């Protein structure tokens, strides 16, 4: 897997995704509408990398566990509790920037 | 780099063609951004006929977790490249979102402004990954940018001068 150009195709075919807490992985998965379990390793990771995963969990978009609790999570998970992830809105940025620059 | 490039291209996705020409500046060590940018611009050219853009590389200012003192030196080295580049491009608007690469570019723009050569509007958008804390680039540019945008309410509270538009990528 390591050297595949893009996981997009695999992602589309998946029913469940288990991933590390990298932002790209999390957001790509959520935007495809796939259920996601984020596995963190607090010893290896930078505090800031966890911020997004934690927030997504707080907002009910992902399940969250670490390596030792993964099996238990898989056994007891209820994916129906996950809420769909509304996509970001770059249009809002465009509107803001137009005002700033004077292109109204 | 990577995530930053993806985010910035999303930010650009809804901008009108008045934001042209677009000059992309990224780190010399970055292997993937060029392809992503070209792909984005190619798609854009399908809708807007006169799409113009350029690509420039400058030395990477800082490696992840590089020490503070050596970061100052590597940033100064990047500045040697970013100053003549920014002087040549004379941008009206600088849009950046956090990689170390943006710091020397913004410093260059500020210098050009102070010298009366060209005043650019600096807009900084902190990454969506930053929910509770700012990146190092963010901490620096919070004071030097004209508009500092955050994507989570916690940061808006901690940094009151910032702009909060919700999630924009």
């Amino acid at each position: 897997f390591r050297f595949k150009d893009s996981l997009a195709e695999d992602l589309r075919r998946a029913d469940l995704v288990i991933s590390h807490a990298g932002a790209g992985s999390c957001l790509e998965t959520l935007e495809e509408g796939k259920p996601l379990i984020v596995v963190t390793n607090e010893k290896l990771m930078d505090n800031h990398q966890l911020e997004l995963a934690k927030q997504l969990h707080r907002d009910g978009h992902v399940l969250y566990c670490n390596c030792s609790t993964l099996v238990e999570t898989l056994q007891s998970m209820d994916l129906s509790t996950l809420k769909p992830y509304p996509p970001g809105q770059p249009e809002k940025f465009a509107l803001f920037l137009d005002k700033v620059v004077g292109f109204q | 780099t990577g995530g930053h490039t993806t985010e910035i291209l999303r930010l650009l996705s809804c901008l009108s063609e008045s934001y042209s020409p677009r000059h992309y500046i990224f780190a010399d060590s970055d292997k993937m951004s060029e392809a992503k940018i070209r792909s984005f611009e190619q798609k854009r050219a399908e809708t807007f006929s006169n799409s113009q853009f350029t690509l420039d590389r400058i030395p990477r200012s800082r490696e992840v977790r590089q020490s503070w003192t050596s970061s100052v030196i590597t940033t100064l080295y990047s500045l040697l490249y970013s100053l003549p580049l920014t002087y040549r491009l004379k941008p009206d608007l600088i849009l950046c979102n956090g990689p170390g690469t943006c710091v020397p570019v913004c410093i260059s723009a500020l210098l050009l402004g102070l010298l009366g050569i060209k005043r650019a509007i600096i807009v900084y958008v902190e990454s969506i990954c930053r929910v509770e804390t700012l990146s190092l680039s963010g901490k620096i540019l919070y004071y030097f940018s004209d508009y500092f945008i955050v994507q989570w309410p916690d940061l808006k509270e901690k940094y009151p001068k910032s702009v909060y538009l919700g999630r924009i990528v």
Side-chain angles (χ1 to χ4, degrees):
Chain A
F1 257 126
R2 236 172 239 206
F3 305 105
K4 265 192 172 181
D5 276 336
S6 159
L7 289 171
E9 198 43 60
D10 298 278
L11 191 52
R12 260 172 246 137
R13 282 184 276 153
D15 295 308
L16 170 67
V17 175
I18 302 170
S19 165
H20 76 142
S25 311
C26 291
L27 295 178
E28 250 185 83
T29 305
L30 290 175
E31 285 165 4
E32 277 297 325
K34 302 293 177 179
L36 172 62
I37 300 178
V38 175
V39 185
T40 62
N41 183 336
E42 316 229 347
K43 282 174 248 155
L44 280 183
M45 295 182 90
D46 216 330
N47 262 339
H48 105 255
Q49 284 199 304
L50 293 175
E51 281 180 31
L52 181 62
K54 282 188 184 159
Q55 184 64 43
L56 292 173
H57 173 67
R58 257 178 251 141
D59 291 340
H61 300 305
V62 306
L63 291 180
Y64 190 78
C65 67
N66 55 42
C67 300
S68 51
T69 55
L70 178 57
V71 174
E72 180 195 316
T73 304
L74 284 168
Q75 287 168 335
S76 63
M77 69 187 183
D78 179 3
L79 298 177
S80 65
T81 58
L82 292 179
K83 298 190 199 136
Y85 175 78
Q89 296 173 282
E91 326 81 76
K92 287 194 174 163
F93 174 68
L95 274 168
F96 173 78
L97 202 59
D98 282 347
K99 273 188 223 134
V100 157
V101 165
F103 286 157
Q104 251 141 322
Chain B
T1 49
H4 291 289
T5 302
T6 304
E7 282 199 44
I8 210 154
L9 292 177
R10 288 189 183 196
L11 287 172
L12 296 181
S13 63
C14 294
L15 295 184
S16 75
E17 201 48 23
S18 308
Y19 295 89
S20 202
R22 288 171 292 284
H23 304 287
Y24 295 90
I25 302 177
F26 50 106
D28 53 2
S29 52
D30 186 339
K31 310 252 182 272
M32 292 182 28
S33 293
E34 175 157 0
K36 286 185 190 171
I37 294 168
R38 288 194 185 278
S39 162
F40 169 82
E41 287 289 340
Q42 204 171 347
K43 247 199 185 158
R44 204 182 165 88
E46 288 165 21
T47 327
F48 301 106
S49 54
N50 254 339
S51 237
Q52 288 173 54
F53 73 101
T54 66
L55 296 166
D56 282 288
R57 290 172 186 270
I58 60 174
R60 188 168 174 150
S61 331
R62 182 177 175 259
E63 297 298 328
V64 182
R65 279 176 250 185
Q66 186 181 331
S67 80
W68 198 89
T69 33
S70 74
S71 298
V72 174
I73 297 172
T74 49
T75 302
L76 284 173
Y77 178 68
S78 305
L79 204 54
L80 287 176
Y81 285 79
S82 67
L83 257 171
L85 177 61
T86 313
Y87 175 77
R88 174 167 59 84
L89 295 175
K90 294 199 183 66
D92 299 298
L93 170 69
I94 295 180
L95 178 59
C96 52
N97 70 340
T101 311
C102 68
V103 176
V105 175
C106 291
I107 294 176
S108 306
L110 286 163
L111 279 171
L112 291 179
L114 284 171
L115 294 170
I117 297 172
K118 177 76 190 187
R119 173 78 167 86
I121 301 176
I122 299 176
V123 175
Y124 181 96
V125 181
E126 185 61 287
S127 166
I128 194 169
C129 301
R130 292 300 186 156
V131 179
E132 293 162 26
T133 63
L134 287 190
S135 61
L136 181 57
S137 305
K139 285 180 190 161
I140 297 168
L141 290 170
Y142 177 65
Y143 300 100
F144 298 107
S145 56
D146 293 294
Y147 297 92
F148 189 90
I149 302 175
V150 295
Q151 302 195 53
W152 296 96
D154 254 5
L155 286 177
K156 170 65 186 172
E157 267 179 65
K158 290 181 187 158
Y159 298 93
K161 284 193 269 176
S162 66
V163 173
Y164 173 64
L165 302 169
R167 277 190 284 114
I168 49 177
V169 298

